[in-house]
Amino acid sequence: MLLNTITPAEAVNFVSSGQRVFFQGAAMTPNLLINALCQRHQDLKDVEIIQVHTEGVALYTQEPYNKSFHVNSCFVGSNVRGAVNGGNGDYIPIFLSEIHLLFRKNILPIDVAFIQVSPPDVHGYCSLGTSVDITLPAVETSKIVIAQINPNVPRTHGDGIIHLRDIDYAVEDTSSLGISGGVPISEIEARIGFHVANLIEDGATLQLGIGNIPNAVLDNLSNHKRLGIHTEMFSDGILPLVESGVITGEDKVVKKGKIVTCFAVGSQKLYDFVDDNPLVHFKEAAYTNDTAIIRRNPKVTAINSAIEIDLTGQICADTIGNRQYSGVGGQMDFIRGASLSKGGKPIFAMTAATAKGISKITPYLKEGAGVTTTRAHVHNVVTEYGTVDLFGKNLKQRAKALISIAHPDFKEELEREAFKRFGGI
């Protein structure tokens, strides 16, 4: 069963001024279609782009294209950060678990969806590859679906399967998927990874993201047993633990023995690993990030990061002052799910100071900062100087605990501020 293909220039002619266009994201970003759409900028105006995180240069945020396109993003990656903070774009604060409601409840109805899929199998089914997340509800609700059909897209198991009849127009593409490479783990990151790994019990179900600190944690888990994965995303760091038998998922309740995720970003080795692999189930974010589902697994250990944390435990993870840096994402979904899981542990892991030498443990959050996770939800906090558990601690006790794992250069100042605020700690 074949679908007649057209050129990218022909495909993007189905977009009209004033419409809302969805872009699939991460490694599956359909840049061939996106760039072709940008070439039509002189014919279009007031086109709204709805997305999460995309890979690529995001021409639609740059001159002269941004006169025709306006990005309205549910997460802010580096390629759209300037537009969002510069007035040529906007950010929607929303949990990853609830973005599907914007489409399914017709709050932000989609006119055209740009996606990237594998070629169809003999039955006419294509795979959404490594980005099912909010793409599946976008495809189900969009008036028009335009797909890049690419043989480099892995056929993944789970819910990210759509039929050719769900695709209105298609273009052919042979581009490589977006590759996310790592950098060497620093000594500080290695110490954080060691501390976090000591909190993880055998039989735990893990949620972790991408980056050096999650990878440093994974590097310290080789002696663990029966670990499982239920996460919104993963990257290459889990592969050695799967190969060595550390990650088996045998203690999980939800999809026992399976790795559950809604998107993945990494190397070609990762994409080869998930291709036609029934061990890995790609689900939409409404499933992976549903707190009621997360909490059913045992010992859910959610490892998240923070830009700053104040002395009462308030977490800012998506802004630097009033500048939007990333997004709410799935942090609260998993922090709450872990805290409600039997034996679960919500963990925040971060360096004690920034690369510029600014303390991440602060008396107060910066003016304009968003509270990504409330102090009532925060339990374990880890820096290179140790681990503290804030659960059940009053404000003075929290301040004292956090100061104990702060960078030594800032402890005296933090103690002064704590004394002024709380009358001693």
Side-chain angles (χ1 to χ4, degrees), residues 377-389:
H377 291 98
V378 177
H379 291 211
N380 300 282
V381 181
V382 180
T383 73
E384 64 268 33
Y385 296 102
T387 302
V388 295
D389 187 354

Side-chain angles (χ1 to χ4, degrees), residues 35-198:
N35 293 337
L37 180 65
C38 288
Q39 299 311 310
R40 281 197 60 210
H41 69 100
Q42 292 180 326
D43 304 326
L44 296 169
K45 62 180 181 179
D46 300 325
V47 174
E48 178 186 336
I49 306 301
I50 187 82
Q51 61 173 59
V52 184
H53 168 72
T54 58
E55 292 289 332
V57 296
L59 283 178
Y60 48 95
T61 68
Q62 302 175 13
E63 293 279 358
Y65 313 104
N66 58 10
K67 293 180 174 62
S68 302
F69 306 103
H70 181 89
V71 64
N72 194 18
S73 192
C74 297
F75 191 88
V76 178
S78 60
N79 61 350
V80 301
R81 197 171 291 143
V84 170
N85 290 293
N88 289 322
D90 283 297
Y91 164 66
I92 302 170
I94 189 169
F95 299 131
L96 184 58
S97 60
E98 294 185 342
I99 296 175
H100 72 106
L101 299 175
L102 301 180
F103 309 149
R104 289 182 169 135
K105 289 189 172 183
N106 218 32
I107 296 168
L108 292 178
I110 300 171
D111 296 297
V112 183
F114 283 2
I115 63 173
Q116 185 167 198
V117 299
S118 71
D121 63 14
V122 295
H123 305 290
Y125 287 95
C126 303
S127 171
L128 292 172
T130 61
S131 180
V132 176
D133 42 61
I134 65 167
T135 304
L136 189 62
V139 169
E140 290 174 352
T141 59
S142 180
K143 298 180 181 71
I144 296 174
V145 175
I146 303 177
Q148 287 178 209
I149 296 183
N150 187 342
N152 293 313
V153 172
R155 296 189 65 87
T156 56
H157 287 242
D159 291 346
I161 300 295
I162 64 172
H163 198 270
L164 285 175
R165 60 176 170 263
D166 300 316
I167 298 171
D168 296 291
Y169 306 100
V171 302
E172 294 179 335
D173 184 33
T174 57
S175 302
S176 299
L177 301 189
I179 300 294
S180 177
V183 297
I185 294 171
S186 70
E187 181 182 344
I188 290 175
E189 291 163 340
R191 289 206 301 270
I192 296 170
F194 174 79
H195 292 317
V196 173
N198 283 336

Side-chain angles (χ1 to χ4, degrees), residues 100-356:
H100 72 106
L101 299 175
L102 301 180
F103 309 149
R104 289 182 169 135
K105 289 189 172 183
N106 218 32
I107 296 168
L108 292 178
I110 300 171
D111 296 297
V112 183
F114 283 2
I115 63 173
Q116 185 167 198
V117 299
S118 71
D121 63 14
V122 295
H123 305 290
Y125 287 95
C126 303
S127 171
L128 292 172
T130 61
S131 180
V132 176
D133 42 61
I134 65 167
T135 304
L136 189 62
V139 169
E140 290 174 352
T141 59
S142 180
K143 298 180 181 71
I144 296 174
V145 175
I146 303 177
Q148 287 178 209
I149 296 183
N150 187 342
N152 293 313
V153 172
R155 296 189 65 87
T156 56
H157 287 242
D159 291 346
I161 300 295
I162 64 172
H163 198 270
L164 285 175
R165 60 176 170 263
D166 300 316
I167 298 171
D168 296 291
Y169 306 100
V171 302
E172 294 179 335
D173 184 33
T174 57
S175 302
S176 299
L177 301 189
I179 300 294
S180 177
V183 297
I185 294 171
S186 70
E187 181 182 344
I188 290 175
E189 291 163 340
R191 289 206 301 270
I192 296 170
F194 174 79
H195 292 317
V196 173
N198 283 336
L199 294 173
I200 297 173
E201 301 177 40
D202 289 343
T205 302
L206 304 182
Q207 175 260 327
L208 28 69
I210 190 171
N212 274 14
I213 289 178
N215 285 338
V217 174
L218 293 167
D219 283 350
N220 283 277
L221 297 178
S222 59
N223 292 322
H224 280 64
K225 301 174 183 177
R226 306 186 316 280
L227 298 180
I229 302 289
H230 183 112
T231 185
E232 66 187 24
M233 68 147 313
F234 71 90
S235 57
D236 289 68
I238 74 162
L239 298 185
L241 297 178
V242 175
E243 293 164 356
S244 65
V246 171
I247 292 175
T248 64
E250 61 191 271
D251 287 2
K252 291 176 63 186
V253 171
V254 178
K255 292 197 172 291
K256 185 182 181 74
K258 305 295 184 182
I259 294 170
V260 177
T261 188
C262 69
F263 74 101
V265 180
S267 69
Q268 187 59 48
K269 181 180 179 180
L270 179 72
Y271 303 144
D272 292 341
F273 171 75
V274 301
D275 184 38
D276 197 26
N277 188 344
L279 176 66
V280 187
H281 276 220
F282 281 80
K283 310 286 284 184
E284 64 172 288
Y287 179 95
T288 60
N289 288 51
D290 185 337
T291 298
I293 293 174
I294 295 167
R295 68 180 296 182
R296 290 175 57 202
N297 282 313
K299 302 178 184 177
V300 173
T301 305
I303 304 163
N304 285 269
S305 62
I307 291 174
E308 60 177 341
I309 177 172
D310 75 8
L311 289 176
T312 72
Q314 291 189 118
I315 294 284
C316 173
D318 68 311
T319 69
I320 300 176
N322 59 9
R323 180 176 171 81
Q324 194 65 44
Y325 184 78
S326 56
V328 172
Q331 182 171 111
M332 270 296 302
D333 298 328
F334 277 94
I335 289 297
R336 191 60 178 153
S339 67
L340 295 173
S341 162
K342 185 177 182 180
K345 294 178 182 177
I347 299 171
F348 283 93
M350 62 183 191
T351 57
T354 69
K356 294 182 179 179

